[in-house]
Amino acid sequence: MKPSESIDMKGRLTLQKRNAAGELVEQVAADNSIMLSGRELVARMFIHKAIDPPIDPISYVAVGTGTTAVDPANTQLQTELFRKPINTIDPTQHVTTTSDKKIKLTISAELDFNEANGALTEAGLFNAANAGVMYNRVVFDPINKSTDFKLTLIWEIVF
């Protein structure tokens, strides 16, 4: 029997609410879907020198209030509310090997007390401050972001 391997990329978003004292108040997790545009972005990374203009890496998280189901053909959030640069990715800390010999990348961003306040229901990763390529999208139950807490978004993406 031949060994088999699953090559599908997958991701999971964890949202952490923290109060002014930095205490974890609530944590919610949701699996996300990799968009066709995100899969194309990864495929194009293999031929980076042949692409004009070159592809920028994932560098922004966006949140919104859209509630429509994820469609692999999505290229933007349904209703984007706010976009912010992700935290710097240190490969020695954020790229690890899983027990089943896959690579896991951890990406995070923190929405401060005065950022993205409202009933958030969707999030995605992008490679530009405006528009750009949407790598993934996730829809989740509403999190009512307010000035009372910070919200940390932590993505774990497995290749």
Side-chain angles (χ1 to χ4, degrees), residues 16-35:
Q16 297 178 334
K17 282 177 147 179
R18 294 189 182 274
N19 63 19
E23 300 165 328
L24 183 62
V25 176
E26 182 181 359
Q27 181 168 295
V28 176
D31 291 331
N32 69 214
S33 297
I34 310 300
M35 303 294 95

Side-chain angles (χ1 to χ4, degrees), residues 92-108:
T92 62
Q93 295 179 351
H94 301 287
V95 178
T96 58
T97 303
T98 66
S99 60
D100 57 350
K101 308 294 184 215
K102 296 189 189 299
I103 299 297
K104 179 173 76 172
L105 171 65
T106 303
I107 297 173
S108 65

Side-chain angles (χ1 to χ4, degrees), residues 1-146:
M1 186 155 134
K2 293 182 182 179
S4 67
E5 170 179 342
S6 172
I7 58 172
D8 198 24
M9 296 181 289
K10 63 181 179 177
R12 183 166 186 78
L13 172 64
T14 301
L15 300 120
Q16 297 178 334
K17 282 177 147 179
R18 294 189 182 274
N19 63 19
E23 300 165 328
L24 183 62
V25 176
E26 182 181 359
Q27 181 168 295
V28 176
D31 291 331
N32 69 214
S33 297
I34 310 300
M35 303 294 95
L36 293 173
S37 57
R39 292 173 189 277
E40 181 179 0
L41 183 143
V42 172
R44 288 174 167 262
M45 298 297 269
F46 281 93
I47 56 171
H48 183 70
K49 292 185 188 284
I51 298 172
D52 188 24
I55 297 174
D56 292 325
I58 298 300
S59 52
Y60 288 85
V61 60
V63 292
T65 58
T67 58
T68 59
V70 174
D71 179 329
N74 291 149
T75 59
Q76 297 296 318
L77 295 181
Q78 179 189 358
T79 311
E80 185 172 324
L81 179 67
F82 187 78
R83 192 176 290 208
K84 182 173 186 166
I86 61 173
N87 297 335
T88 302
I89 299 172
D90 176 353
T92 62
Q93 295 179 351
H94 301 287
V95 178
T96 58
T97 303
T98 66
S99 60
D100 57 350
K101 308 294 184 215
K102 296 189 189 299
I103 299 297
K104 179 173 76 172
L105 171 65
T106 303
I107 297 173
S108 65
E110 184 174 83
L111 303 179
D112 212 342
F113 296 104
N114 294 316
E115 296 177 325
N117 292 321
L120 304 178
T121 54
E122 64 177 336
L125 292 172
F126 291 83
N127 74 340
N130 298 303
V133 175
M134 179 167 66
Y135 173 74
N136 64 356
R137 179 173 177 243
V138 60
V139 176
F140 45 85
D141 291 335
I143 293 185
N144 293 309
K145 172 73 176 71
S146 72

